[in-house]
Amino acid sequence: MKDWYNTVFVENSRTPEALATQGSCWVDIRDLAEAHTLALERASAAGERIIISAGPYVWQDWSNRRSQLTLPFSHPLHKLAKGIPGAGLKAVHKINYNTAKEARLLGVKYRSKEEMTRDTLIDIESRGW
């Protein structure tokens, strides 16, 4: 969470190259919780190792998504970082997990990066952070 926070809120927290090329895979915690629940409820998931991932990202994706949002507040406590708008759109992701087993056994409908970003920013604001 600290890395995500710094990318979205702290300008120059990463180099332009890192914003456009470095990342990993992500999942909204609510989707992960749902996957755990489904795995406990479905006999077909018993004894299986299942990868839960909404997909790959590069760090700039989060600032790109944030800049596309209309938020219900101006976020006076923080200046939101812009990074390099549009950077990383053609990134070759170094990690991208095969989630076919998860789709077959659990069928989680993952939240989008936009939804996760919006809800996280709203939560941060509501807590006065």
Side-chain angles (χ1 to χ4, degrees):
M1 183 67 187
K2 181 178 179 185
D3 285 338
W4 184 92
Y5 181 92
N6 285 341
T7 299
V8 173
F9 287 106
V10 181
E11 199 68 58
N12 301 317
S13 66
R14 298 184 186 283
T15 67
E17 180 183 2
L19 286 169
T21 63
Q22 294 178 4
S24 189
C25 288
W26 73 281
V27 65
D28 186 294
I29 191 66
R30 297 167 293 184
D31 297 332
L32 182 60
E34 178 186 2
H36 278 272
T37 301
L38 291 169
L40 291 169
E41 294 173 345
R42 298 198 177 157
S44 60
E48 296 287 341
R49 293 176 184 247
I50 304 170
I51 294 173
I52 308 300
S53 173
Y57 70 88
V58 293
W59 286 109
Q60 182 62 40
D61 288 346
W62 303 112
S63 290
N64 290 344
R65 295 310 187 280
R66 195 264 324 137
S67 69
Q68 297 168 355
L69 297 174
T70 301
L71 297 171
F73 55 87
S74 62
H75 221 291
L77 299 177
H78 304 283
K79 179 179 177 190
L80 298 172
K82 292 180 184 172
I84 313 295
L89 293 177
K90 297 180 181 181
V92 175
H93 298 284
K94 298 173 184 168
I95 300 173
N96 191 2
Y97 294 110
N98 180 341
T99 58
K101 184 192 280 189
E102 179 281 318
R104 183 173 37 86
L105 295 176
L106 305 179
V108 173
K109 302 296 181 210
Y110 294 103
R111 287 168 175 80
S112 67
K113 288 177 187 170
E114 291 83 359
E115 183 178 1
M116 199 267 328
T117 301
R118 182 194 67 235
D119 292 352
T120 301
L121 292 172
I122 289 170
D123 185 62
I124 288 169
E125 173 72 12
S126 73
R127 295 170 188 267
W129 295 346

